[in-house]
């Protein structure tokens, strides 16, 4: 019976014994009773009285209580002994090779850490459900208008719509409403509380979601103005005291009484902006609608029933086509999720590759090291160590390495997440989105460590079980059996293949970013500053007053020293904000819904932006003075589309000029047909001003901000150099490219370590043979070639397999990752070729040291070293 | 054979057992007699040793658990001669192998010990 099986059997019986402890105790009692009775019977047969017989029987058996204790102990020792012995031995071995141990634990820490970091983000953004009752049935109800060739969602609904929906829709239950407030003014005890996020909610919000306050109660329909505070704010502002109940909080001038504290971990339904306060909406505010679908209905049935109610409500004028949309809301509503789902999935794939490479790499290193200790292992087997005991020891060693690596990985992950988050183009990282080493994340790291230990520990362990004791008699060199080298080669080939895959992935994302950076946006972003102004916070609505403010700002900014020119535009540049327009073109029939992009621009827009004028003229100051600007300007794409052969200006249909194509909405936006209209002299709404500075744009940014504040301190203003706006537009791509490039480099480093190890080992194993060859007159090059031959084959096999898989994987990934790729065909041959070349170059570099070492072998020593 | 050892010049009337000795005795018993319950095994060892080894019959159960953990014996429930439920122990095939190996080892050790102690004694 092998020791391993025995060990496992003992392990099994101990574990199950722990589970079945009570039953085993009962059985043992029964066994003892039978034993005792048999002893009593024996005594009676020898003529003892029943009392004496029992007394002597007990004497001969021993105290049942003591026996039971000993029995229990015996069921539980031994294994711990065996295990501590193995752990101690492994620790001693690892200490003997500090460099090896450091390299292995560090690479594991990086591999597992990168995965844990990503998992913590993926878990937060994509996996975790809201802490509400039945989150899987929660949906957000929206209407989507199909107009102007756009899908325009209608998210918020009136109280009346809510009432009708509750009364007439059987497919939905627990209908609740909420709406985040825009920069609310919050007062507690008359003190302002800046930067608090407040949501208005329907009165049944907490009841229907199944969120039970930890202190106080949920709002009731009979309540006057009431509010619920979040757990975090309760702790931070009210010291976690129950005296918070009954306090008055004032939001935008309306007072509400605090009646409850939400449970910890509940931050509302919009997960990007965790709420601090929920006030029950008393006015006729439009709210977002969230509800539960009735169980047993299909999505189509629920959708149809909801659609019918909406049609009854007739929310929009006839003629506009509306569609009902139910979006799963069980994980909360998140812009970030929508934006980062694809990148995170792509990065998860890459980072998993990194871990696979790490594991094969560590496996290779372990094997190489074990091979160099082969003689020791063989001697131990010869002295009677069970082979399976060696296997167990190998696995224990792997597990130790993995767990040390895993522990370090948590630190790496924390660091990694903060770097990843700092790359995100958001002003404030949402509170929920930090690295928290909670049970799920730690559990993931532990699981991953275990899996890796199995993955990289199996091959060395398997090899350890194939020790041939007879080989002890022959030379130590030949004990490194060919089988061990075959496994080593296979592992290296795997590593090379995986790295090709990883590098191709990383290469495509980097190439995407490069393509985006090189895109000609069609205007000159240097020395350009964009000023986005929101007048609503200062009390100006859309209309004349707002128009006056814009004109004032425009004039003041133009007067700032260092500003060359200023212009206005209705839709901010690079913010994916677009208007659509159309017009009748004489002598042409257009499709009924043929709209194109339209921009409303102020005076000297094209000059300020640096968009080239191709024909005709731009808007003159006189055009603006004429109040109602006549005429419009088109871009080149528009001219080509509608007048491919003629000069559109000559057509006398109001076109006064043709300008070059410019990507105004975003870097990725295709150059579509576009028209430019004049902003009226008294605009009702303008969103952005564009400022051309004469020097570096950063010099005027502060001046602009001060000037706007001087006009009205509560004007919300966002001033950024255009270069920064463009960079923000590419932030996702930058994040993906940066991270994947890092992973690619990490993979390369690991592979080079692995190949170096294997090549060194191959040379060391053939010292004898190479020595003889040199003694027989082989030249340097012959020796190098001989020592590298193996590795070359492995490289060739690995990289060709990797290339094949990469081509296939890119095909598949390209179809659902198209948002992440730009300006390249998915199977970008150049990227793949570059990846393979890079791997081969790195691999060769890793081989050179061992090969040079081979040429320095002293033939005499090599032959004698047997 | 010299099973007696001296302590405070007093010869013990019963024998303390070296670790593993009881295990070997149990294996031997089960191999000879087939399935037996704890009482039967204890009784048999007492009889064969002439009532010279066993301290407490209950000690036998520690040994039985150990042997089961190693897979050298197995157990199943049966009915004892006094009509009670009792666990019957059976030696397994690997137990038989172990018995052969241990017996050989023990005999060698005993022989060596015997020789060494005999020579020591003759020196005195």
């Amino acid at each position: 019976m092998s020791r391993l099986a025995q060990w496992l059997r003992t392990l099994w019986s101990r574990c199950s014994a722990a589970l079945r402890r009570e039953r085993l105790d009962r059985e043992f009692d029964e066994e003892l009773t039978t034993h005792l009775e048999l002893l009593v019977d024996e005594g009676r047969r020898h003529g003892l009285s029943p009392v004496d017989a029992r007394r002597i029987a007990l004497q001969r058996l021993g105290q049942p209580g003591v026996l039971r204790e000993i029995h229990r102990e015996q069921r539980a020792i031994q294994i711990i002994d065996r295990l501590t012995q193995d752990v101690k031995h492994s620790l001693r071995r690892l200490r003997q090779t500090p460099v090896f141990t450091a390299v292995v634990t560090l690479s594991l820490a990086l591999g597992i850490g990168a995965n844990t970091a990503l998992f913590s983000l993926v878990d937060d953004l994509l996996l975790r459900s809201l802490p509400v009752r039945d989150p899987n049935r929660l949906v957000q109800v929206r209407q989507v208008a199909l107009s102007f060739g756009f899908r325009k969602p209608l998210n918020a609904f009136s109280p009346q719509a809510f009432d009708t929906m509750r009364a007439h829709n059987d497919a939905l239950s627990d209908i609740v409403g909420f709406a985040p407030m825009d920069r609310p003014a919050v007062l507690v005890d008359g003190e302002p509380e800046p930067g608090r996020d407040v949501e208005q909610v329907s009165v049944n919000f907490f009841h229907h979601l199944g969120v039970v306050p930890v202190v106080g109660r949920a709002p009731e329909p009979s309540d006057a103005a009431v509010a619920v505070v979040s757990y975090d704010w309760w702790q931070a502002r009210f010291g976690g005291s129950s005296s918070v109940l009954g306090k008055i909080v004032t939001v935008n001038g309306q007072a509400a009484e605090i009646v409850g504290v939400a449970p910890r971990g509940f931050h509302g339904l919009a997960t990007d902006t965790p709420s601090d306060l929920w006030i029950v909406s008393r006015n006729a505010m439009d709210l977002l609608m969230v509800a539960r679908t009735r169980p047993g209905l299909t999505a189509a049935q629920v959708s149809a029933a909801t659609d019918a109610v909406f049609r009854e409500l007739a929310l929009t004028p006839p003629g506009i086509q509306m569609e009902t949309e139910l979006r799963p809301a069980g994980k909360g509503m998140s812009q970030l999720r929508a934006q980062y789902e694809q990148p995170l999935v792509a990065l998860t794939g890459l980072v998993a590759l990194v871990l696979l490479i790490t594991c094969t790499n560590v496996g290779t290193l372990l094997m190489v090291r074990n091979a160099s200790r082969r003689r020791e292992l063989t001697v131990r087997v010869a002295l009677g160590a069970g082979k399976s005991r060696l296997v167990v020891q190998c696995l224990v060693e792997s597990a130790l390495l993995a767990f040390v690596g895993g522990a370090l990985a948590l630190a790496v992950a924390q660091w990694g997440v903060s770097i990843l988050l700092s790359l995100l183009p958001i002003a404030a990282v949402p509170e929920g989105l930090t690295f928290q080493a909670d049970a799920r994340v730690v559990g993931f790291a532990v699981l991953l460590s275990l899996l890796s230990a199995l993955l990289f520990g199996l091959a060395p362990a398997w090899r350890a079980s194939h020790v041939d004791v007879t080989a002890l008699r022959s030379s130590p060199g030949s004990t490194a059996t060919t089988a061990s080298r075959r496994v080593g080669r296979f592992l290296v080939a795997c590593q090379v293949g995986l790295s090709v895959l990883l590098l191709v992935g990383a290469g495509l994302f980097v190439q995407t970013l490069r393509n985006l950076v090189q895109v000609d946006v069609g205007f000159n972003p240097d020395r350009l500053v964009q000023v986005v102004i929101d007048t609503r916070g200062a009390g100006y609505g859309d209309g004349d007053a707002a128009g006056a403010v814009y004109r004032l700002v425009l004039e003041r900014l133009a007067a700032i020293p260092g500003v060359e020119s200023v212009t206005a535009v209705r839709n901010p540049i690079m913010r994916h904000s677009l208007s659509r327009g159309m017009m009748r073109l004489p002598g042409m029939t257009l499709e009924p819904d043929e709209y194109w992009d339209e921009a409303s621009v102020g005076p000297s827009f094209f000059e300020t932006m640096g968009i080239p004028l191709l024909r005709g003229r731009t808007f003159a100051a006189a055009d603006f003075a004429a109040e109602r600007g006549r005429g419009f300007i088109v871009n080149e794409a528009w001219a080509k589309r509608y007048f491919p052969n003629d000069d559109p200006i000559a057509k006398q249909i109001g076109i006064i000029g043709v300008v070059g194509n410019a990507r105004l909405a975003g870097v990725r936006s295709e150059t579509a047909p576009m028209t430019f209209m004049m902003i009226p002299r008294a605009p009702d709404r303008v969103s952005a001003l564009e400022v051309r500075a004469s020097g570096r744009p950063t010099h005027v940014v502060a001046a602009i901000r001060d000037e706007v504040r001087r006009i009205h301190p509560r004007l919300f203003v966002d001033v950024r150099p255009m270069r920064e706006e463009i960079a923000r537009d590419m932030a996702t791509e930058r994040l993906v490219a940066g991270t994947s490039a890092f992973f690619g480099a990490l993979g390369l480093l690991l592979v080079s370590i692995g190949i170096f190890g294997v090549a060194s080992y191959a040379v060391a194993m053939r010292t004898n043979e190479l020595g003889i060859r040199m003694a027989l007159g082989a030249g340097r090059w012959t020796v190098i070639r001989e020592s590298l031959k193996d590795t070359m084959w492995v490289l060739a096999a690995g990289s060709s397999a990797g290339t094949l898989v990469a081509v296939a994987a890119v095909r598949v990934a390209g179809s659902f990752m198209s948002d992440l790729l730009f300006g390249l065909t998915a199977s970008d041959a150049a990227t793949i070729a570059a990846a393979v070349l890079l791997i081969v170059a790195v691999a060769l570099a890793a081989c050179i040291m061992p090969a040079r070492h081979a040429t320095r072998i002293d033939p005499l020593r090599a032959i004698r070293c047997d | 054979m010299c099973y007696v050892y001296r302590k405070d010049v007093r010869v013990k009337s019963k024998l303390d057992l070296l670790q593993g000795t009881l295990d070997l005795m149990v294996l031997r018993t089960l191999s000879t007699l087939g399935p037996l319950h704890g009482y039967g095994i204890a009784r048999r060892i007492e009889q064969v040793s002439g009532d010279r080894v066993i301290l407490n019959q209950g000690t036998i159960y520690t040994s039985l658990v150990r042997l089961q953990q190693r897979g050298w014996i197995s157990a199943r429930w049966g009915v004892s001669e006094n009509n009670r439920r009792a666990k019957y122990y059976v030696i397994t095939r690997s137990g038989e192998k172990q018995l052969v190996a241990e017996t050989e080892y023990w005999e060698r050790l005993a022989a060596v010990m015997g020789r060494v102690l005999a020579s020591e004694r003759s020196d005195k």
Side-chain angles (χ1 to χ4, degrees), chain A residues 221-464:
Chain A
S222 55
D223 284 330
V226 294
V228 173
V229 296
S230 76
Y231 188 92
D232 293 345
W233 197 36
W234 177 53
Q235 289 292 335
R237 173 64 179 78
F238 304 100
S241 154
S242 59
S243 65
V244 68
L245 300 180
K247 270 197 193 300
I248 301 298
V249 56
T250 314
V251 179
N252 288 352
Q254 297 207 327
E257 182 192 343
I258 296 174
V259 295
V261 177
R264 186 179 204 159
F266 180 76
H267 303 286
L269 297 181
T271 45
D272 292 346
T273 49
S275 294
D276 300 304
L277 185 71
W278 295 269
I279 58 170
V280 172
S281 166
R282 287 280 148 199
N283 46 20
M285 267 270 296
D286 283 2
L287 299 176
L288 308 185
M289 189 183 285
V290 169
R292 285 205 176 81
T293 55
R294 283 225 192 267
L297 295 182
T298 64
Q301 282 169 323
V302 177
S303 198
T306 314
D307 206 41
V309 179
F310 272 126
R311 225 165 296 131
E312 200 179 304
L313 274 166
L315 298 174
T316 45
I320 294 183
Q321 201 191 335
M322 298 294 278
E323 239 176 42
T324 299
E325 197 179 85
L326 300 174
R327 302 205 299 176
K331 289 168 188 162
M333 282 114 87
S334 165
Q335 279 303 110
L336 285 174
R337 179 169 58 233
Q339 191 179 354
Y340 289 106
E341 189 159 8
Q342 271 198 11
L344 280 177
V345 169
L347 288 179
T348 304
L350 290 186
V351 88
L353 278 179
V354 172
L355 188 64
L356 277 178
I357 294 174
T358 313
C359 286
T360 44
N361 186 40
V362 172
T364 318
L365 291 178
L366 270 174
M367 274 190 58
V368 167
R369 194 192 58 154
N370 283 356
S372 64
R373 303 179 29 238
R374 195 135 211 99
R375 208 178 161 82
E376 179 209 320
L377 292 179
T378 319
V379 168
R380 284 181 55 191
V381 170
L383 289 181
K387 285 179 183 177
S388 40
R389 188 71 192 279
L390 295 185
V391 171
V392 171
Q393 265 177 16
C394 273
L395 286 176
V396 166
E397 191 178 79
S398 307
L400 272 179
L401 284 171
F403 277 108
V404 175
L408 287 176
L410 285 176
V412 171
Q414 175 143 32
W415 176 69
V417 167
S418 59
I419 290 184
L420 274 178
L421 288 181
S422 70
L423 290 174
L424 288 184
I426 39 183
V429 175
E431 280 165 48
L433 211 61
T434 51
F435 181 76
Q436 285 163 333
D438 59 9
R440 284 166 72 109
V441 172
V442 172
F444 178 81
V446 168
L447 193 73
L448 216 54
S449 310
L450 264 179
L451 270 179
S452 335
L454 265 184
L455 207 58
F456 69 70
L458 270 183
W462 180 73
R463 284 305 311 146

Side-chain angles (χ1 to χ4, degrees), chain B residues 3-123:
Chain B
Y3 278 117
V4 182
Y5 85 102
R6 284 161 194 279
K7 190 181 178 191
D8 298 341
V9 203
R10 206 154 41 95
V11 177
K12 277 200 165 183
S13 60
K14 292 211 173 185
L15 294 171
D16 279 339
L17 292 174
L18 290 171
Q19 199 181 1
T21 323
L22 186 58
D23 293 1
L24 180 56
M25 289 181 186
V26 171
L27 283 181
R28 182 70 260 171
T29 307
L30 288 177
S31 171
T32 315
L33 296 185
L36 270 183
H37 46 57
Y39 169 80
I41 300 169
R43 203 63 209 99
R44 166 76 181 178
I45 293 174
E46 281 181 347
Q47 283 166 356
V48 172
S49 71
D51 283 343
R52 279 197 302 179
V53 289
I54 290 290
L55 324 147
N56 277 328
Q57 287 198 359
T59 326
I60 206 90
Y61 290 101
T62 322
S63 176
L64 288 172
V65 173
R66 198 159 45 226
L67 292 172
Q68 264 181 297
Q69 281 172 350
R70 292 179 180 165
W72 293 336
I73 61 174
S74 61
R76 59 166 183 265
W77 287 99
V79 179
S80 70
E81 46 274 36
N82 63 348
N83 273 328
R84 285 176 167 276
R85 236 158 73 89
K87 229 180 207 174
Y88 279 82
Y89 296 90
V90 190
I91 189 163
T92 60
R93 190 174 294 177
S94 65
E96 292 281 6
K97 275 191 213 156
Q98 184 67 17
L99 177 60
V100 172
E102 290 274 310
T103 308
E104 189 192 329
Y105 169 80
W106 190 251
E107 279 165 357
R108 263 165 48 208
L109 182 66
V112 171
M113 287 299 287
R115 274 207 302 279
V116 170
L117 294 179
S119 68
E120 291 274 310
R121 196 175 287 169
S122 61
D123 285 350

Side-chain angles (χ1 to χ4, degrees), chain A residues 523 528-534 536 550 567-579 598-601 605 609 663-667 669 674 679 685-690 716 718 720 722 725-726 728-729:
Chain A
F523 60 89
L528 198 61
V529 177
Q530 176 158 267
V531 184
V532 177
I533 297 182
D534 193 336
R536 283 170 298 174
Y550 284 116
T567 185
V569 61
R570 192 158 192 160
N571 302 85
I573 310 293
M574 288 292 149
R575 299 274 181 104
H576 295 268
S577 167
L578 278 174
S579 296
E598 185 186 85
S600 298
V601 302
F605 176 80
M609 293 294 290
R663 294 169 190 241
L664 298 179
V667 183
S669 59
M674 186 168 186
I679 285 182
R685 190 171 70 88
V686 175
S687 300
L689 303 177
E690 308 298 329
F716 178 75
D718 181 20
R720 286 172 204 279
M722 187 53 73
E725 295 274 4
I726 294 176
R728 274 164 61 99
D729 188 46

Side-chain angles (χ1 to χ4, degrees), chain A residues 485-501:
Chain A
R485 269 159 70 181
R486 207 157 43 216
V487 177
R489 273 186 231 147
F490 174 72
L491 283 180
V492 172
C494 281
Q495 272 185 67
V496 171
L498 288 168
S499 312
V500 169
L501 209 55

